[in-house]
Amino acid sequence: MIKVINVVGARPNFMKVAPIVAELKRHPNEFLPLVVHTGQHYDAAMSDTFFTDLDLPQPDVHLGVGSASHAAQTAAVMERFEPVVIQEKPDWVLVVGDVNSTFAAALVCVKLGVKVAHVEAGLRSRDRTMPEEINRVLTDQIADVLFTPSADADENLLAEGIPRERIRLVGNVMIDSLYQHLERAQQSSIKERLGLAGARYGVLTLHRPSNVDDRKTLGRILSALETISNELPIVFPVHPRAAKTIAEHGLLERVKRIPNLQLIEPLGYLDFMSLYSGAQLVLTDSGGIQEETSVLGIPCLTLRENTERPTTVTMGTNKIVGTDPEKIVREALAALQLSVRTPAAIPLWDGHTAERIVAALS
Ligand code: UD1
């Protein structure tokens, strides 16, 4: 029996781990999957609802780490995860994505000599001021197997001197979740609840420290929204980090005054999918949303200067527009002219990535 610990920590991890755990459970004579939640995200809206929406089994172990500085959070995951690995003696530990929990768990394993595989390896923004970029580079250096979503990721890893034998191009596991849940998501009543049934609308998400922690940058994004929202109502599910910094910067009144900008709590997986899949336009600084909108053919403007997911630009619907208000407005108005949706056909983003990952573990 092959025992596999699947580590989740923060919101973008759940939709990557769920299809892998489901696939492991399809082979009960071969695999014993365990789910360990570090507790990096702990609000019901940032964590619990995803277990229900994604049919992800409740964690076998919860480390209860919570929020803290990068060093304290990373250290707390390491301290609390190490005894779990020692006790469970897994054959494999799977870590996904690029959050602090990802790197912390991988580092514990490599020091204990336990095999660790990184899912969504090889993505690079080449922006080392992003905490996620540091987590990606370091996790890829130490993991035994690197499961990559796209060919550019393989090239990045090879360029960093990682031997080809450690790299497996398997595709994008988050797209497995998207295809599995798209039909169920269409039954969500979120559009009715927001008064948007049958309406044209846009969706905004913001949470990157470079956008929300910096008052000037946040102000530039708000200027753009002040114009765009005259043309298109916009829904903004507010990430806790953004909620905190908008208030701290004294910008809440300005945000509330923007016409047609609807501020709502963070949404669960199905409600959010229902919302963005019906949108005319998505404005975001998230990584995963660039991929999801590309697969569905929805225009996406990325409010960053770079992306670690260039495939979404070359083959998908994503445009990197930065934070210059004039550019954001220009690109948003241009995107609203598009009447045809062209879903991206990206190799191996086919809903079968978890099968390829699990096959590689046996
Ligand atoms: C983390 C990840 C980021 C990912 C994002 C998705 C790192 C370095 N960052 O960023 O890559 O894209 O999650 O959401 O791992 N908070 C709550 N409730 C929660 C969680 C957080 O209120 O359930 C608040 C706390 O005030 C906390 C702040 O949000 O200090 C930031 O949380 P943290 O986990 O440090 O980073 P994120 O910005 O969420």
Side-chain angles (χ1 to χ4, degrees), residues 20-36:
I20 299 174
V21 172
E23 181 61 22
L24 290 166
K25 281 180 172 286
R26 256 175 235 127
H27 304 276
N29 297 328
E30 202 181 347
F31 291 106
L32 175 61
L34 295 179
V35 175
V36 174

Side-chain angles (χ1 to χ4, degrees), residues 189-201:
S189 61
I190 187 68
K191 284 179 250 181
E192 285 77 13
R193 281 183 272 147
L194 297 174
L196 293 169
R200 284 162 60 85
Y201 62 89

Side-chain angles (χ1 to χ4, degrees), residues 12-13 15-16 98 120 123 136 172 174-175 178 205 207-208 269 272 276 282 284-296 300 302 304 307-309 312 318 349:
N13 294 160
M15 57 295 276
K16 294 167 194 166
D98 54 18
E120 201 186 81
L123 298 183
R136 292 181 199 116
N172 188 334
M174 215 181 60
I175 304 306
L178 185 151
T205 82
H207 75 281
R208 293 273 158 223
Y269 185 69
F272 188 62
Y276 72 74
V282 172
T284 190
D285 59 8
S286 147
I289 296 173
Q290 299 168 37
E291 301 178 335
E292 292 165 332
T293 48
S294 281
V295 166
L296 296 179
C300 176
T302 295
R304 287 170 46 189
T307 180
E308 60 288 333
R309 292 161 161 90
T312 60
N318 187 23
W349 293 27

Side-chain angles (χ1 to χ4, degrees), residues 41-347:
H41 282 174
Y42 45 84
D43 282 356
M46 299 296 287
S47 176
D48 302 359
T49 53
F50 288 82
F51 283 82
T52 322
D53 281 1
L54 292 157
D55 298 321
L56 183 61
Q58 285 303 309
D60 298 281
V61 181
H62 202 297
L63 304 179
V65 161
S67 302
S69 70
H70 287 280
Q73 190 175 58
T74 307
V77 173
M78 291 184 68
E79 277 183 353
R80 295 181 195 191
F81 187 51
E82 185 179 52
V84 176
V85 178
I86 290 171
Q87 190 189 323
E88 294 294 342
K89 300 186 182 53
D91 299 286
W92 281 103
V93 172
L94 289 195
V95 297
V96 300
D98 54 18
V99 302
N100 286 344
S101 299
T102 309
F103 170 58
L107 186 51
V108 166
C109 296
V110 72
K111 293 282 178 84
L112 290 174
V114 169
K115 280 191 294 185
V116 59
H118 183 207
V119 176
E120 201 186 81
L123 298 183
R124 296 289 182 270
S125 66
R126 299 192 169 73
D127 173 2
R128 293 215 172 180
T129 65
M130 276 180 92
E132 296 82 2
E133 183 74 353
I134 303 300
N135 292 334
R136 292 181 199 116
V137 169
L138 297 179
T139 305
D140 288 341
Q141 280 299 323
I142 59 178
D144 296 274
V145 172
L146 302 168
F147 289 119
T148 54
S150 46
D152 57 290
D154 291 30
E155 284 164 26
N156 291 336
L157 294 171
L158 293 169
E160 288 173 18
I162 289 171
R164 191 174 280 282
E165 314 79 84
R166 280 170 55 202
I167 306 170
R168 307 260 196 299
L169 177 57
V170 291
N172 188 334
V173 77
M174 215 181 60
I175 304 306
D176 288 20
S177 274
L178 185 151
Y179 286 139
Q180 274 163 32
H181 296 284
L182 195 53
E183 223 175 280
R184 257 175 87 204
Q186 301 314 331
Q187 283 147 34
S188 150
S189 61
I190 187 68
K191 284 179 250 181
E192 285 77 13
R193 281 183 272 147
L194 297 174
L196 293 169
R200 284 162 60 85
Y201 62 89
V203 174
L204 166 74
T205 82
L206 284 179
H207 75 281
R208 293 273 158 223
S210 57
N211 280 339
V212 300
D213 293 6
D214 186 75
R215 190 176 194 279
K216 216 169 132 205
T217 308
L218 192 53
R220 285 152 63 84
I221 295 173
L222 296 183
S223 301
L225 294 171
E226 280 157 354
T227 307
I228 299 168
S229 64
N230 288 314
E231 306 294 324
L232 187 75
I234 294 174
V235 188
F236 178 19
V238 188
H239 185 286
R241 180 180 201 108
K244 202 166 131 189
T245 58
I246 287 170
E248 281 169 8
H249 293 322
L251 290 169
L252 189 56
E253 283 315 307
R254 181 171 168 197
V255 171
K256 284 185 174 164
R257 273 199 310 272
I258 300 180
N260 299 321
L261 179 71
Q262 208 176 148
L263 304 189
I264 60 171
E265 293 293 314
L267 293 174
Y269 185 69
L270 297 174
D271 282 344
F272 188 62
M273 191 188 290
S274 167
L275 193 64
Y276 72 74
S277 65
Q280 237 60 42
L281 174 67
V282 172
L283 301 129
T284 190
D285 59 8
S286 147
I289 296 173
Q290 299 168 37
E291 301 178 335
E292 292 165 332
T293 48
S294 281
V295 166
L296 296 179
I298 294 150
C300 176
L301 300 184
T302 295
L303 309 177
R304 287 170 46 189
E305 304 300 335
N306 51 53
T307 180
E308 60 288 333
R309 292 161 161 90
T311 313
T312 60
V313 177
T314 53
M315 304 181 80
T317 55
N318 187 23
K319 275 200 169 173
I320 307 301
V321 297
T323 55
D324 170 25
E326 280 175 24
K327 181 155 192 206
I328 299 172
V329 170
R330 198 169 58 241
E331 294 289 354
L333 297 181
L336 291 181
Q337 301 305 317
L338 298 172
S339 51
V340 185
R341 285 188 172 182
T342 317
I346 301 173

